[in-house]
PDB file of all heavy atoms in Angstrom:
ATOM      1  N   TYR A 385      -5.026  -0.834  23.745  1.00  0.00           N
ATOM      2  CA  TYR A 385      -4.419  -0.358  24.997  1.00  0.00           C
ATOM      3  C   TYR A 385      -4.724   1.134  25.050  1.00  0.00           C
ATOM      4  O   TYR A 385      -5.088   1.726  24.029  1.00  0.00           O
ATOM      5  CB  TYR A 385      -2.896  -0.630  25.026  1.00  0.00           C
ATOM      6  CG  TYR A 385      -2.166  -0.152  23.789  1.00  0.00           C
ATOM      7  CD1 TYR A 385      -1.619   1.126  23.732  1.00  0.00           C
ATOM      8  CD2 TYR A 385      -2.086  -0.942  22.653  1.00  0.00           C
ATOM      9  CE1 TYR A 385      -0.988   1.594  22.589  1.00  0.00           C
ATOM     10  CE2 TYR A 385      -1.449  -0.490  21.497  1.00  0.00           C
ATOM     11  CZ  TYR A 385      -0.909   0.771  21.486  1.00  0.00           C
ATOM     12  OH  TYR A 385      -0.284   1.245  20.343  1.00  0.00           O
ATOM     13  N   ILE A 388      -1.799   6.638  23.709  1.00  0.00           N
ATOM     14  CA  ILE A 388      -0.742   7.544  24.159  1.00  0.00           C
ATOM     15  C   ILE A 388      -0.683   8.688  23.150  1.00  0.00           C
ATOM     16  O   ILE A 388      -0.374   8.459  21.972  1.00  0.00           O
ATOM     17  CB  ILE A 388       0.609   6.798  24.210  1.00  0.00           C
ATOM     18  CG1 ILE A 388       0.564   5.694  25.272  1.00  0.00           C
ATOM     19  CG2 ILE A 388       1.770   7.770  24.434  1.00  0.00           C
ATOM     20  CD1 ILE A 388       1.686   4.672  25.162  1.00  0.00           C
ATOM     21  N   HIS A 399       5.072   5.900  28.228  1.00  0.00           N
ATOM     22  CA  HIS A 399       3.666   5.480  28.301  1.00  0.00           C
ATOM     23  C   HIS A 399       2.776   6.585  28.855  1.00  0.00           C
ATOM     24  O   HIS A 399       1.861   6.344  29.630  1.00  0.00           O
ATOM     25  CB  HIS A 399       3.533   4.181  29.116  1.00  0.00           C
ATOM     26  CG  HIS A 399       3.891   2.955  28.314  1.00  0.00           C
ATOM     27  ND1 HIS A 399       3.875   1.686  28.830  1.00  0.00           N
ATOM     28  CD2 HIS A 399       4.268   2.818  27.019  1.00  0.00           C
ATOM     29  CE1 HIS A 399       4.224   0.829  27.883  1.00  0.00           C
ATOM     30  NE2 HIS A 399       4.469   1.489  26.772  1.00  0.00           N
ATOM     31  N   ASP A 416       1.020   6.714  20.136  1.00  0.00           N
ATOM     32  CA  ASP A 416       1.204   5.256  20.209  1.00  0.00           C
ATOM     33  C   ASP A 416      -0.166   4.702  20.564  1.00  0.00           C
ATOM     34  O   ASP A 416      -0.618   4.819  21.704  1.00  0.00           O
ATOM     35  CB  ASP A 416       2.257   4.932  21.278  1.00  0.00           C
ATOM     36  CG  ASP A 416       2.536   3.424  21.395  1.00  0.00           C
ATOM     37  OD1 ASP A 416       1.739   2.617  20.871  1.00  0.00           O
ATOM     38  OD2 ASP A 416       3.555   3.077  22.028  1.00  0.00           O
ATOM     39  N   ALA A 417      -0.855   4.148  19.564  1.00  0.00           N
ATOM     40  CA  ALA A 417      -2.245   3.758  19.771  1.00  0.00           C
ATOM     41  C   ALA A 417      -2.649   2.739  18.718  1.00  0.00           C
ATOM     42  O   ALA A 417      -2.104   2.740  17.610  1.00  0.00           O
ATOM     43  CB  ALA A 417      -3.154   4.989  19.654  1.00  0.00           C
ATOM     44  N   ASP A 427      -0.309  -2.449  17.161  1.00  0.00           N
ATOM     45  CA  ASP A 427       0.476  -1.610  18.075  1.00  0.00           C
ATOM     46  C   ASP A 427       1.317  -0.687  17.183  1.00  0.00           C
ATOM     47  O   ASP A 427       2.315  -1.124  16.615  1.00  0.00           O
ATOM     48  CB  ASP A 427       1.360  -2.504  18.952  1.00  0.00           C
ATOM     49  CG  ASP A 427       2.117  -1.713  20.007  1.00  0.00           C
ATOM     50  OD1 ASP A 427       1.905  -0.486  20.115  1.00  0.00           O
ATOM     51  OD2 ASP A 427       2.933  -2.332  20.727  1.00  0.00           O
ATOM     52  N   VAL A 428       0.858   0.552  17.022  1.00  0.00           N
ATOM     53  CA  VAL A 428       1.450   1.445  16.014  1.00  0.00           C
ATOM     54  C   VAL A 428       1.796   2.787  16.662  1.00  0.00           C
ATOM     55  O   VAL A 428       0.991   3.339  17.421  1.00  0.00           O
ATOM     56  CB  VAL A 428       0.455   1.685  14.845  1.00  0.00           C
ATOM     57  CG1 VAL A 428       1.038   2.674  13.830  1.00  0.00           C
ATOM     58  CG2 VAL A 428       0.109   0.366  14.158  1.00  0.00           C
ATOM     59  N   THR A 429       2.972   3.308  16.353  1.00  0.00           N
ATOM     60  CA  THR A 429       3.351   4.646  16.816  1.00  0.00           C
ATOM     61  C   THR A 429       3.776   5.504  15.634  1.00  0.00           C
ATOM     62  O   THR A 429       4.541   5.048  14.777  1.00  0.00           O
ATOM     63  CB  THR A 429       4.527   4.583  17.815  1.00  0.00           C
ATOM     64  OG1 THR A 429       4.191   3.696  18.875  1.00  0.00           O
ATOM     65  CG2 THR A 429       4.839   5.964  18.378  1.00  0.00           C
ATOM     66  N   HIS A 502       8.408  -6.384  20.211  1.00  0.00           N
ATOM     67  CA  HIS A 502       7.793  -7.524  20.889  1.00  0.00           C
ATOM     68  C   HIS A 502       6.755  -8.131  19.962  1.00  0.00           C
ATOM     69  O   HIS A 502       6.272  -7.453  19.042  1.00  0.00           O
ATOM     70  CB  HIS A 502       7.132  -7.041  22.189  1.00  0.00           C
ATOM     71  CG  HIS A 502       6.200  -5.892  21.977  1.00  0.00           C
ATOM     72  ND1 HIS A 502       4.885  -6.062  21.611  1.00  0.00           N
ATOM     73  CD2 HIS A 502       6.398  -4.537  22.019  1.00  0.00           C
ATOM     74  CE1 HIS A 502       4.318  -4.872  21.468  1.00  0.00           C
ATOM     75  NE2 HIS A 502       5.211  -3.929  21.692  1.00  0.00           N
ATOM     76  N   VAL A 508      -1.311  -7.126  23.516  1.00  0.00           N
ATOM     77  CA  VAL A 508      -0.426  -6.207  22.795  1.00  0.00           C
ATOM     78  C   VAL A 508       1.031  -6.606  23.005  1.00  0.00           C
ATOM     79  O   VAL A 508       1.846  -6.510  22.075  1.00  0.00           O
ATOM     80  CB  VAL A 508      -0.696  -4.734  23.168  1.00  0.00           C
ATOM     81  CG1 VAL A 508      -0.408  -4.427  24.627  1.00  0.00           C
ATOM     82  CG2 VAL A 508       0.113  -3.811  22.272  1.00  0.00           C
ATOM     83  N   HIS A 509       1.378  -7.036  24.199  1.00  0.00           N
ATOM     84  CA  HIS A 509       2.697  -7.638  24.415  1.00  0.00           C
ATOM     85  C   HIS A 509       2.459  -9.142  24.443  1.00  0.00           C
ATOM     86  O   HIS A 509       2.226  -9.726  25.487  1.00  0.00           O
ATOM     87  CB  HIS A 509       3.332  -7.139  25.721  1.00  0.00           C
ATOM     88  CG  HIS A 509       3.643  -5.673  25.675  1.00  0.00           C
ATOM     89  ND1 HIS A 509       3.765  -4.889  26.790  1.00  0.00           N
ATOM     90  CD2 HIS A 509       3.874  -4.835  24.631  1.00  0.00           C
ATOM     91  CE1 HIS A 509       4.044  -3.638  26.441  1.00  0.00           C
ATOM     92  NE2 HIS A 509       4.117  -3.584  25.124  1.00  0.00           N
ATOM     93  N   THR A 524       6.503  -6.115  16.605  1.00  0.00           N
ATOM     94  CA  THR A 524       6.678  -4.683  16.383  1.00  0.00           C
ATOM     95  C   THR A 524       8.173  -4.380  16.268  1.00  0.00           C
ATOM     96  O   THR A 524       9.006  -5.078  16.841  1.00  0.00           O
ATOM     97  CB  THR A 524       6.125  -3.830  17.542  1.00  0.00           C
ATOM     98  OG1 THR A 524       6.944  -4.031  18.702  1.00  0.00           O
ATOM     99  CG2 THR A 524       4.687  -4.188  17.858  1.00  0.00           C
ATOM    100  N   GLU A 526      10.136  -0.865  17.047  1.00  0.00           N
ATOM    101  CA  GLU A 526       9.780   0.444  17.586  1.00  0.00           C
ATOM    102  C   GLU A 526      10.946   1.165  18.259  1.00  0.00           C
ATOM    103  O   GLU A 526      10.907   1.435  19.459  1.00  0.00           O
ATOM    104  CB  GLU A 526       8.615   0.320  18.562  1.00  0.00           C
ATOM    105  CG  GLU A 526       8.765  -0.761  19.624  1.00  0.00           C
ATOM    106  CD  GLU A 526       7.608  -0.747  20.613  1.00  0.00           C
ATOM    107  OE1 GLU A 526       7.322   0.327  21.166  1.00  0.00           O
ATOM    108  OE2 GLU A 526       6.994  -1.799  20.829  1.00  0.00           O
ATOM    109  N   ARG A 539       9.385   8.283  18.377  1.00  0.00           N
ATOM    110  CA  ARG A 539       9.282   6.817  18.305  1.00  0.00           C
ATOM    111  C   ARG A 539       8.540   6.482  17.025  1.00  0.00           C
ATOM    112  O   ARG A 539       7.588   7.187  16.660  1.00  0.00           O
ATOM    113  CB  ARG A 539       8.537   6.247  19.523  1.00  0.00           C
ATOM    114  CG  ARG A 539       8.332   4.743  19.449  1.00  0.00           C
ATOM    115  CD  ARG A 539       8.039   4.077  20.800  1.00  0.00           C
ATOM    116  NE  ARG A 539       6.748   4.382  21.377  1.00  0.00           N
ATOM    117  CZ  ARG A 539       6.550   5.232  22.387  1.00  0.00           C
ATOM    118  NH1 ARG A 539       7.575   5.866  22.928  1.00  0.00           N
ATOM    119  NH2 ARG A 539       5.340   5.454  22.857  1.00  0.00           N
ATOM    120  N   GLU A 541       6.844   3.069  15.341  1.00  0.00           N
ATOM    121  CA  GLU A 541       6.519   1.669  15.647  1.00  0.00           C
ATOM    122  C   GLU A 541       5.650   1.097  14.545  1.00  0.00           C
ATOM    123  O   GLU A 541       4.557   1.607  14.264  1.00  0.00           O
ATOM    124  CB  GLU A 541       5.774   1.575  16.987  1.00  0.00           C
ATOM    125  CG  GLU A 541       5.340   0.161  17.329  1.00  0.00           C
ATOM    126  CD  GLU A 541       4.785   0.032  18.741  1.00  0.00           C
ATOM    127  OE1 GLU A 541       4.195   1.000  19.253  1.00  0.00           O
ATOM    128  OE2 GLU A 541       4.952  -1.053  19.337  1.00  0.00           O
TER     129      GLU A 541
HETATM  130 MN1   MN B 294       3.091   0.886  21.032  1.00  0.00          MN
END
Side-chain angles (χ1 to χ4, degrees):
Y385 50 91
I388 295 165
H399 280 179
D416 181 345
D427 185 4
V428 177
T429 306
H502 52 85
V508 64
H509 294 156
T524 69
E526 49 176 308
R539 176 160 70 257
E541 177 172 31

